[in-house]
């Protein structure tokens, strides 16, 4: 693939990441401005991990078997993209839509008296509806954008050949970092004075720009990338298999094929298909191929380290700034937030630079001519996780905002590898399996052609009948019907001989054909493909978020109580992670010399990064992956 093709294939990820940046960077202040309470904020942000845990494996499995003329991935990219646009519009104009609904329901803004007394019912209705629309919008956004992202990532596994998997996923990492940098940069601008259309808030302008960027990248990728549609014979379908085997058996006994029952239940069929898919995903989770499983093991501990940093980096900067600044100053929180945001912006720019430069010093494992100064991708990932461990543990030594900013910028190196290395390794395995499958399919076709010529051309009907089971079973395995097998022969005499022999098969032979077909289709259903593997891999990225939420809640609760002399404040209100983080931070401000809570959680993440770095020793290289696939064949 050329550089332009790589760019076109992965540019959609930049648009997706731009939308993610708008949601994660500016969603919380916007929801608070609508009146959503802080204790309920965590319930909104649970949409992200829930959607990643559920949607990506399901979409991966469905898209692997999609037979649309547009290809396997593009229908899901476009469908998910439509819901992304609708949800972003609902989020940006939640208050305006609530006001419109109030007008439709004839709720007056005032009581109707000459004094124009405000109507409290109207204000309460608009507030509740706007919050509801925004929360629903965020949930729909998370589920739909995960749909598009899962298939956009799968494109990088489907299209590039094995030798370009590392570079394809490097481009994917570059696009993700470009989307982050662009999102942060645009967010810093005063968009209300820059955009040509009138907007009521910065969030509205940012959402509209996000829609434009997202739609442009979808059109770019879907128009320029060539995706081969999946052949119908490659899709296992138990219902079709049963009807096909029944037709074969009927033909073998010389009887007519009976049509399906006219009153079959479509709903039960749909439920059966979803149940089969759930079982297949579960089988994939418990029997994940060893090379992918070891990547997932590293990812689990790596993301236990990443989520504290992503969640609490700005809060940690505030915590550090409170040591040298006056936290009771009314402008303190604004200055601290701006300092944290600026550090994250520099971190994003540095990460983009790393994603552009690091692929130049990574050697191809199949190319022995690389220079001595190049290193393997697995070695570099191990080094990045070691650096991440050192940086997070070094939070104990940071004394001022400058040091905190330098440490946050240093996290750009491991982040660039996190967006690239694991996906490249999963892509290598998928490419090796696909390459092996193509070779076996080609060899099977060649052997079958020779067998047909040996068994049929110049043979007597008796010989054809005695060896027909193997020929017909191989034809059924390739997805060919018995009739197409007969029509494949040019000689009329051979064709009539085969036809008469096929229809003379006894019941035992027909049952043998059906058993062979069933075994082949069961194997095809159990085999994991790129989309399903990426979905299961994403589960190992999402699950650490639940783990670190629980761990940080315990840490914040314990340190918060310790800082307040063992008292929780006498309330029984909901205690979310963000609420307790703020509570611990307030306790730190109120009592000089108390233990820092956020830094403690970051150092827990550093220990987890050390475990992840150690687990990279057990990763499969490309040669071991090939040997593993050969053994499983």
């Amino acid at each position: 693939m050329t550089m332009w093709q790589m760019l076109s294939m992965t540019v959609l990820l930049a648009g997706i990441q731009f939308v993610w940046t708008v949601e994660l960077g500016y969603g919380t202040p916007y929801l608070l401005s609508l009146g959503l309470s802080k204790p309920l904020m965590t319930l909104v942000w649970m949409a992200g991990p829930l959607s990643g845990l559920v949607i990506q494996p399901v979409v991966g499995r469905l898209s692997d078997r999609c037979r649309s003329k547009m290809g396997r991935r593009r229908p899901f990219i476009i469908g998910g993209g439509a819901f992304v646009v609708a949800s972003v519009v609902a989020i940006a104009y939640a208050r305006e839509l609530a006001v419109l609904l109030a007008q439709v329901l004839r709720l007056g803004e005032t009581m109707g008296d000459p004094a124009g007394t405000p109507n409290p019912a109207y204000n309460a209705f608009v507030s509740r509806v706007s919050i509801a629309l925004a929360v629903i919008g965020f949930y729909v956004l998370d589920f739909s954008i995960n749909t598009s992202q899962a298939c956009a990532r799968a494109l990088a596994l489907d299209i590039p050949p094995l030798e370009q998997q590392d570079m394809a996923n490097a481009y994917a990492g570059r696009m993700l970092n470009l989307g982050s940098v662009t999102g942060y940069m645009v967010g810093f601008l005063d968009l209300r004075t820059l955009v040509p259309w009138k907007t009521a808030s910065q969030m509205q302008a940012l959402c509209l720009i996000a829609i434009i960027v997202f739609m442009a990248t979808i059109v770019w990728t879907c128009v320029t990338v060539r995706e081969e549609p999946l052949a119908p014979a490659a899709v296992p379908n138990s219902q079709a298999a049963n009807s096909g085997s029944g037709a074969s058996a009927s033909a073998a006994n010389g009887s007519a094929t009976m049509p399906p029952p006219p009153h079959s239940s479509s709903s039960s069929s749909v439920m059966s298909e979803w149940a089969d898919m759930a079982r297949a995903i579960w089988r994939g989770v418990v029997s994940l191929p060893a090379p992918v499983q070891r990547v997932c093991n590293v990812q689990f501990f790596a993301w236990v380290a990443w989520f504290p940093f992503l969640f609490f980096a700005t809060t940690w900067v505030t915590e550090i700034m409170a040591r040298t600044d006056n936290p009771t100053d009314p402008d303190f929180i604004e200055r601290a937030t701006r300092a944290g945001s600026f550090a994250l912006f520099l971190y994003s720019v540095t990460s983009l630079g790393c994603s552009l430069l690091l692929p130049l010093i990574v050697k191809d494992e199949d190319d022995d001519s690389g220079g001595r100064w190049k290193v393997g991708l697995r070695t570099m990932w191990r080094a990045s996780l070691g650096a991440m461990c050192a940086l997070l543990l070094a939070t104990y030594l940071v004394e001022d905002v400058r040091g905190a900013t330098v440490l946050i910028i240093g996290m750009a190196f491991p982040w660039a590898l996190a967006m690239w290395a694991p996906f490249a390794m999963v892509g290598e395995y998928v490419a090796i399996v696909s390459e092996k499958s193509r070779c076996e399919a080609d060899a099977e076709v060649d052997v079958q052609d020779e067998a047909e010529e040996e068994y049929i051309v110049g043979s007597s009907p008796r010989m054809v009948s005695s060896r027909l089971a193997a020929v017909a079973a191989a034809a059924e395995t390739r997805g060919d019907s018995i009739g197409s097998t007969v029509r494949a022969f040019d000689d009329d005499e051979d064709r009539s001989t085969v036809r008469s022999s096929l229809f003379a098969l006894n019941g035992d032979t027909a049952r043998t054909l059906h058993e062979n077909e069933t075994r082949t289709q069961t194997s095809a259903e159990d085999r994991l493909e790129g989309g399903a593997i990426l979905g299961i891999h994403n589960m190992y990225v999402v699950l650490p978020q639940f783990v670190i939420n629980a761990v940080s809640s315990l840490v914040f609760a314990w340190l918060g109580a310790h800082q307040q002399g063992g008292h929780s404040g006498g309330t029984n209100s909901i205690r979310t992670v963000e609420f307790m983080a703020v509570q611990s931070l307030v306790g730190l401000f109120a009592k000089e010399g108390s233990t820092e809570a956020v830094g403690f959680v970051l150092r827990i993440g550093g220990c987890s990064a050390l475990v992840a770095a150690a687990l990279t020793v057990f990763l499969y290289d490309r040669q071991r992956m090939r040997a593993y696939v050969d053994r499983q064949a």
Side-chain angles (χ1 to χ4, degrees):
M1 296 182 65
T2 64
M3 183 178 69
W4 173 256
Q5 290 172 325
M6 291 275 191
L7 177 63
S8 299
M9 180 183 66
T10 57
V11 70
L12 173 57
L13 291 170
I16 291 173
Q17 189 62 32
F18 189 98
V19 178
W20 275 124
T21 302
V22 172
E23 179 187 4
L24 297 177
Y26 307 98
T28 297
Y30 177 70
L31 289 172
L32 292 175
S33 70
L34 292 178
L36 184 67
S37 62
K38 289 181 180 180
L40 295 177
M41 194 69 66
T42 299
L43 299 180
V44 176
W45 295 127
M46 287 300 292
L50 286 175
S51 61
L53 190 64
V54 175
I55 286 295
Q56 293 217 16
V58 171
V59 170
R61 177 77 178 182
L62 291 175
S63 64
D64 283 340
R65 283 150 175 75
C66 178
R67 288 181 285 179
S68 170
K69 294 181 180 180
M70 299 172 60
R72 292 192 292 173
R73 315 299 180 187
R74 271 184 282 196
F76 292 89
I77 291 174
I78 295 173
F83 281 96
V84 168
V85 172
S87 61
V88 172
V89 170
I91 292 170
Y93 291 92
R95 188 176 295 277
E96 286 78 2
L97 291 174
V99 170
L100 179 62
L101 182 60
Q103 293 174 352
V104 170
L105 297 177
R106 300 181 181 277
L107 293 177
E109 189 172 355
T110 63
M111 298 296 293
D113 56 355
T117 306
N119 185 0
Y122 172 87
N123 294 331
F125 176 85
V126 170
S127 177
R128 287 195 298 266
V129 171
S130 60
I131 291 175
L133 286 174
V135 171
I136 293 172
F138 274 111
Y139 266 85
V140 174
L141 174 60
D142 283 329
F143 278 82
S144 56
I145 203 170
N146 266 293
T147 300
S148 296
Q149 185 173 16
C151 293
R153 272 290 192 182
L155 282 177
L157 270 66
D158 296 341
I159 299 176
L162 173 61
E163 61 273 11
Q164 288 189 309
Q165 280 293 322
D166 289 355
M167 185 56 64
N169 284 279
Y171 266 87
R174 291 167 179 171
M175 293 300 104
L176 290 170
N177 286 304
L178 178 62
S180 294
V181 171
T182 307
Y184 282 123
M185 182 179 66
V186 173
F188 282 141
L189 304 176
D190 186 2
L191 298 178
R192 289 176 295 180
T193 61
L194 296 177
V195 296
W197 55 85
K198 184 179 179 180
T199 57
S201 64
Q202 174 85 351
M203 184 66 175
Q204 281 187 0
L206 195 56
C207 286
L208 294 177
I209 293 176
I211 290 174
I212 294 172
V213 172
F214 180 69
M215 292 181 64
T217 55
I218 278 189
V219 172
W220 186 348
T221 295
C222 290
V223 170
T224 59
V225 172
R226 291 189 59 187
E227 188 184 2
E228 293 295 333
L230 186 64
V235 183
N237 189 312
S238 56
Q239 186 177 359
N242 293 335
S243 61
S245 59
S248 301
S250 300
N253 291 308
S255 60
T257 303
M258 297 298 294
H263 300 293
S264 59
S265 173
S266 59
S267 60
S268 62
S269 176
V270 171
M271 291 298 295
S272 176
E273 290 180 4
W274 280 96
D276 290 342
M277 181 179 63
R279 285 192 293 267
I281 293 175
W282 174 249
R283 286 195 301 267
V285 171
V286 299
S287 61
L288 202 61
V292 180
Q293 181 66 67
R294 296 194 180 186
V295 173
C296 291
N297 294 341
V298 177
Q299 283 283 75
F300 180 85
F301 288 97
W303 282 91
V304 169
W306 272 116
F307 279 121
F309 173 78
L310 297 175
F311 287 166
F312 305 124
T314 302
T315 307
W316 179 65
V317 172
T318 304
E319 192 176 72
I320 297 299
M321 191 171 178
R323 299 177 182 177
T324 57
D325 207 334
N326 180 16
T328 60
D329 189 335
D331 296 331
F332 171 78
I333 294 296
E334 182 179 349
R335 291 199 310 272
T337 302
R338 189 165 56 248
S341 299
F342 182 68
L344 288 175
F345 174 72
L346 295 179
Y347 149 82
S348 299
V349 173
T350 307
S351 183
L352 175 60
C354 290
S355 65
L356 292 173
L357 297 177
L358 291 178
L360 302 178
I361 61 174
V362 172
K363 66 180 180 181
D364 185 355
E365 294 180 4
D366 292 335
D367 185 9
D368 296 332
S369 60
R372 295 182 179 179
W373 50 275
K374 290 190 174 184
V375 297
L377 182 59
R378 289 155 182 80
T379 302
M380 184 171 289
W381 193 23
R382 185 180 308 123
S384 72
L385 290 170
M388 183 181 183
C389 168
L391 288 168
L392 292 178
L393 293 179
T395 56
Y396 183 80
L397 305 175
V398 175
E399 296 292 341
D400 54 20
V401 174
R402 181 178 299 179
T405 302
V406 171
L407 190 146
I408 289 175
I409 294 174
M411 292 289 288
F413 167 55
W415 180 253
L417 269 296
M419 295 294 99
W420 163 30
F423 298 96
M425 295 173 197
V426 173
E428 286 177 1
Y429 174 79
V430 173
I432 290 172
V433 171
S434 300
E435 185 180 79
K436 180 74 173 178
S437 299
R438 285 194 298 269
C439 293
E440 289 178 349
D442 293 341
E444 181 185 352
V445 170
D446 293 339
V447 171
Q448 183 57 40
D449 291 341
E450 294 176 2
E452 290 171 352
E453 182 177 358
E454 176 186 351
Y455 293 160
I456 296 174
V457 176
S459 300
S460 64
R462 183 181 183 87
M463 183 180 295
V464 172
S465 179
S466 64
R467 297 183 177 180
L468 188 58
V471 177
E476 290 292 320
T477 299
R478 293 204 307 268
D480 300 334
S481 65
I482 291 179
S484 64
T485 305
V486 174
R487 290 192 297 271
F489 298 98
D490 296 330
D491 188 89
D492 292 337
E493 183 179 353
D494 291 334
R495 184 182 301 169
S496 62
T497 300
V498 175
R499 183 183 299 276
S500 61
S501 300
L502 283 168
F503 292 141
L505 288 173
N506 57 30
D508 292 338
T509 307
R511 282 191 297 272
T512 302
L513 290 177
H514 174 60
E515 291 171 0
N516 290 341
E517 180 183 6
T518 302
R519 283 195 298 269
T520 301
Q521 288 170 345
T522 301
S523 175
E525 290 175 357
D526 288 341
R527 184 175 63 247
L528 288 175
E529 299 183 40
I533 288 177
L534 273 182
I536 295 172
H537 165 266
N538 189 69
M539 294 172 66
Y540 282 83
V541 174
V542 171
L543 285 174
Q545 184 165 346
F546 296 97
V547 173
I548 204 62
N549 260 321
V551 171
S552 57
S553 295
L554 293 174
V555 170
F556 292 147
W558 178 70
L559 288 179
H562 172 70
Q563 291 165 6
Q564 297 177 13
H567 299 287
S568 60
T571 64
N572 294 318
S573 58
I574 299 175
R575 296 170 61 82
T576 64
V577 173
E578 286 79 4
F579 178 78
M580 286 186 285
V582 174
Q583 186 183 46
S584 298
L585 195 59
V586 170
L588 174 69
F589 296 160
K591 186 176 181 179
E592 184 179 357
S594 58
T595 306
E596 53 171 333
V598 176
F600 189 84
V601 174
L602 291 175
R603 290 190 281 278
I604 292 176
C607 297
S608 183
L610 180 61
V611 176
L615 289 176
T616 58
V617 176
F618 303 102
L619 293 173
Y620 280 61
D621 58 21
R622 198 174 293 176
Q623 182 178 358
R624 291 182 63 196
M625 281 187 184
R626 288 194 177 99
Y628 174 85
V629 172
D630 290 338
R631 290 195 304 270
Q632 300 299 312

